[in-house]
C-alpha cells in the first residue's frame, strides 16, 4: 500500500504543506486527514515534531477524507494492422494511464468471436512500465468479421476492432 500511496502523491499533489497521512489501509482504501503543516517522508513531520506511522498527533484537528487508490487503467488499445487476412496475426499495444505498481499488473483480455480470433486471456505489465504488447492470432473463415478486442483492469477498460478478412 505504501508504494501505491507514493504513486498517487507523486507528480501533482504537494507533498509539503497541510498534509498528514495516517496510513490506515483496508484493501485499497487509505485514510487521509489534514492536521496542519506537515511534510511527508519516511516519517511525518508536523510543526517540527516528527512522528511515525501509527502514532497519533495529540491536539491535531482537521478534516478527514478517504482516498481510494485505483489501479492503473488502459488509456488506449491499438491493433496493428487493424485489418488482417484470416490466418495472420496482429499486434495489440496497450498504454496505461499510470505506471504498473510494484509487483506488476495483470490485464484481462477478451474478444467477441472465438471462431475467428485467439488472444491470451491475460497479459502481464511489469512494475514501472506503462505499456505492453501482445499478439492476436486469427483463423480463416468465410466473409469479413469485425472482432472487438477488449483489455481491462479494475480501474477501467479499452476496446478496439480487428477486421478479419
Amino acid at each position: 500500500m505504501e508504494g501505491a500511496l507514493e504513486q498517487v502523491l507523486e507528480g501533482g499533489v504537494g507533498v509539503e504543506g497541510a498534509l498528514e497521512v495516517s496510513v490506515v489501509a483496508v484493501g485499497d482504501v487509505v485514510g487521509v486527514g489534514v492536521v496542519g503543516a506537515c511534510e511527508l517522508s519516511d516519517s511525518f513531520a508536523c510543526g517540527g515534531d516528527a512522528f511515525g506511522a501509527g502514532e497519533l498527533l495529540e491536539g491535531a484537528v482537521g478534516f478527514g477524507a478517504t482516498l481510494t487508490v485505483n489501479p492503473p487503467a488502459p488509456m488506449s488499445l491499438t491493433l496493428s494492422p487493424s485489418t488482417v487476412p484470416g490466418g495472420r496475426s496482429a499486434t495489440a499495444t496497450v498504454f496505461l494511464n499510470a505506471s504498473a505498481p510494484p509487483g506488476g499488473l495483470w490485464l484481462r483480455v477478451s474478444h467477441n468471436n472465438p471462431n475467428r480470433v485467439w488472444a491470451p486471456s491475460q497479459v502481464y505489465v511489469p512494475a514501472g512500465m506503462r505499456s505492453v504488447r501482445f499478439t492476436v492470432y486469427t483463423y480463416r473463415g468465410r466473409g469479413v468479421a469485425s472482432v472487438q478486442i477488449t483489455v481491462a483492469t479494475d480501474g477501467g477498460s479499452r476496446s478496439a476492432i480487428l477486421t478479419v478478412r
Side-chain angles (χ1 to χ4, degrees), residues 13-84:
V13 174
V15 175
E16 291 185 21
L19 178 67
E20 179 267 331
V21 179
S22 55
V23 182
V24 177
V26 179
D28 288 337
V29 177
V30 178
V32 175
V34 172
V35 297
C38 299
E39 182 179 328
L40 179 63
S41 61
D42 290 338
S43 62
F44 307 104
C46 291
D49 297 325
F51 60 97
E55 293 181 36
L56 297 176
L57 188 63
E58 289 187 32
V61 180
F63 72 88
T66 300
L67 172 65
T68 302
V69 180
N70 291 320
M75 189 169 59
S76 68
L77 168 63
T78 59
L79 298 166
S80 180
S82 59
T83 301
V84 297

Side-chain angles (χ1 to χ4, degrees), residues 104-141:
L105 177 70
W106 284 98
L107 299 175
R108 296 181 302 274
V109 181
S110 61
H111 57 84
N112 65 351
N113 192 336
N115 294 322
R116 297 299 297 270
V117 165
W118 182 91
S121 60
Q122 295 183 40
V123 177
Y124 181 73
V125 183
M129 300 300 293
R130 289 188 66 140
S131 66
V132 68
R133 290 184 176 158
F134 62 94
T135 302
V136 177
Y137 299 93
T138 67
Y139 304 116
R140 291 188 176 114

